[in-house]
Amino acid sequence: MGLFLLKRLATLVGTLIGASVIVFLVLEILPGNAAQMLMGPDASPDAVAALATKLGLDQPAWTRYWHWIGGLLTGNLGDSYAYGSPVLDLILERLALTIPLAVLAMTFTTVLALVVGVTAAARHNKLGDVGLMSLTQVGIAVPNFWFAILLILLFSVKLQWFSAGGFDGWDEGVLGGLKSLLLPALSLAVVQAAILARITRSAVLEVMREDFVRTARAKGVSQRAVLWLHVLRNALIPVITVMGMQFSELLAGTIVIENVFYLPGLGRLIFQAISNRDLIVVRNCVMLLAALVVFVNFVVDVLYAVIDPRIKASDI
C-alpha cells in the first residue's frame, strides 16, 4: 500500500506540473493586454508601458512562469491587477462559499442518485423502473442554469420561500447560509444526480446476478438488506469513479450558477477576472480547480482499494 501511495503521489505531482504549464501557456497566448485593459483605451502608450513594467508583464514568459510557481509553493500568489488585493485572500474568501456549495450539491447528488438507482434496479423492467429512468432522462436533458431559473420563479418569485439571489454570509448563522445555498445546490445536483442514478442502476443490476446475492437470499436475508448492505457496496467502484468526476464538474459548474444566483463565490470571481483580463487571478483560480480535480482523482484511487480489498494497487 505504501508503494501504491508513493506512485499515486508521484503521478499527482507530475500531473500538477503539466497542468501548470498548460494553464500558463494558454493564458499567455490570449489576445489583449492586461495593462491596456486596466488603463483604458484612451491611456497613453507610455502609461501602459509603465504599468506593464510595474506588474512584471515586460519580463520573459519563462521568468514569469518560475516566479508564479515559486509563489504557489510559498503561498505568495501576488496581487490582483483589478482589485489591488492579494490573490490568496480573494480566493480564500470566495472558497468559503464555493466549497460548501459544491459539497452540498454533491450530497444532494449522492442521496438522490443512490435512492433512485437502487430503487430502479430493485424494480427492474417494472413500471417503477421505467418511470424513474424516464425522469433521469429528463434530468440529463435539462441545463442546470435553466433549471435554476425555474427554481427561482417557483420558490423565490411565486412562493417567496427563498431569496432569488445573493449571500448574506456565514455571520448570519450556518442555517441561514445553507438556506441561501439550497436552490443553487439543487440546480447543480439535478443533472449530476440523473447521470449517477443511471450508473448506479446498471452497476447494481450487474452485481445482483452474482452468486453471493442468491446465497444471501437463500439464507433468508431481506431484499432491502441484500440491496443496501451487500449489493450496493460491491457496485460502488464505477459509482465512485463517476462521483469523483462529478465533484470536479460541480466545482466548474459553479461559474454559471453563481452568476445566476449572484453569489460571491470562486466561480463569480473567475468570471469577473476574465472580464477584467485579470490574468493573475484567472491563472491561480484555474490552477486551483485543476489541483482539486487531480486530488479528487487521487482520493478515488485510494478508495478503490479500501472498498474492494480484492483490487491490488498495481491494478489501479
Side-chain angles (χ1 to χ4, degrees):
M1 191 64 178
L3 179 61
F4 162 68
L5 290 176
L6 184 61
K7 289 181 178 180
R8 299 310 300 168
L9 284 173
T11 303
L12 185 148
V13 173
T15 304
L16 288 178
I17 293 174
S20 69
V21 173
I22 294 174
V23 169
F24 185 84
L25 291 178
V26 167
L27 292 179
E28 280 296 306
I29 63 177
L30 288 177
N33 184 289
Q36 184 71 63
M37 181 73 69
L38 293 173
M39 295 293 294
D42 299 329
S44 65
D46 292 339
V48 173
L51 181 59
T53 301
K54 180 181 178 181
L55 298 177
L57 299 177
D58 60 332
Q59 298 178 356
W62 65 270
T63 301
R64 285 184 281 117
Y65 173 78
W66 285 114
H67 286 169
W68 175 50
I69 295 298
L72 288 176
L73 296 176
T74 59
N76 180 18
L77 305 184
D79 295 334
S80 165
Y81 303 155
Y83 294 94
S85 303
V87 175
L88 182 60
D89 293 344
L90 288 173
I91 292 177
L92 292 178
E93 179 184 355
R94 303 304 179 95
L95 281 178
L97 184 148
T98 298
I99 293 297
L101 173 59
V103 171
L104 185 60
M106 195 68 230
T107 301
F108 288 152
T109 298
T110 303
V111 173
L112 288 173
L114 292 183
V115 171
V116 172
V118 174
T119 302
R123 293 161 174 77
H124 182 48
N125 286 335
K126 296 180 181 178
L127 183 60
D129 181 24
V130 175
L132 289 174
M133 288 302 98
S134 299
L135 287 177
T136 60
Q137 193 64 44
V138 174
I140 294 174
V142 174
N144 55 17
F145 67 87
W146 185 77
F147 187 67
I149 295 173
L150 292 182
L151 291 178
I152 292 174
L153 291 175
L154 177 60
F155 292 104
S156 299
V157 177
K158 186 174 181 61
L159 300 177
Q160 298 184 354
W161 290 355
F162 299 93
S163 172
F167 184 69
D168 296 330
W170 298 108
D171 295 336
E172 301 296 325
V174 176
L175 292 179
L178 291 177
K179 184 178 179 180
S180 299
L181 298 180
L182 185 60
L183 293 185
L186 284 174
S187 304
L188 287 168
V190 166
V191 175
Q192 305 300 338
I195 297 172
L196 188 60
R198 299 181 73 88
I199 299 296
T200 302
R201 173 183 176 273
S202 299
V204 169
L205 285 175
E206 183 176 350
V207 175
M208 286 176 66
R209 301 186 183 100
E210 298 290 337
D211 292 337
F212 76 89
V213 176
R214 288 192 291 269
T215 302
R217 289 173 175 170
K219 290 181 178 180
V221 181
S222 66
Q223 174 76 356
R224 178 175 298 180
V226 169
L227 282 173
W228 292 98
L229 298 181
H230 299 282
V231 174
L232 183 59
R233 179 177 179 179
N234 288 274
L236 279 180
I237 295 297
V239 174
I240 287 181
T241 302
V242 176
M243 286 174 62
M245 294 186 295
Q246 286 186 326
F247 187 73
S248 305
E249 293 177 5
L250 287 175
L251 288 172
T254 59
I255 296 178
V256 175
I257 294 301
E258 285 179 2
N259 280 280
V260 172
F261 287 93
Y262 206 75
L263 297 174
L266 187 66
R268 186 163 179 79
L269 175 64
I270 295 175
F271 179 80
Q272 293 172 335
I274 293 173
S275 301
N276 296 328
R277 195 169 170 76
D278 197 349
L279 293 186
I280 190 170
V281 174
V282 176
R283 181 182 298 131
N284 285 290
C285 287
V286 172
M287 190 62 207
L288 173 63
L289 292 177
L292 289 174
V293 171
V294 174
F295 178 74
V296 168
N297 289 334
F298 170 78
V299 172
V300 168
D301 286 345
V302 174
L303 286 177
Y304 285 165
V306 174
I307 293 172
D308 193 345
R310 296 171 300 177
I311 297 179
K312 298 179 180 179
S314 59
D315 296 333
I316 301 179

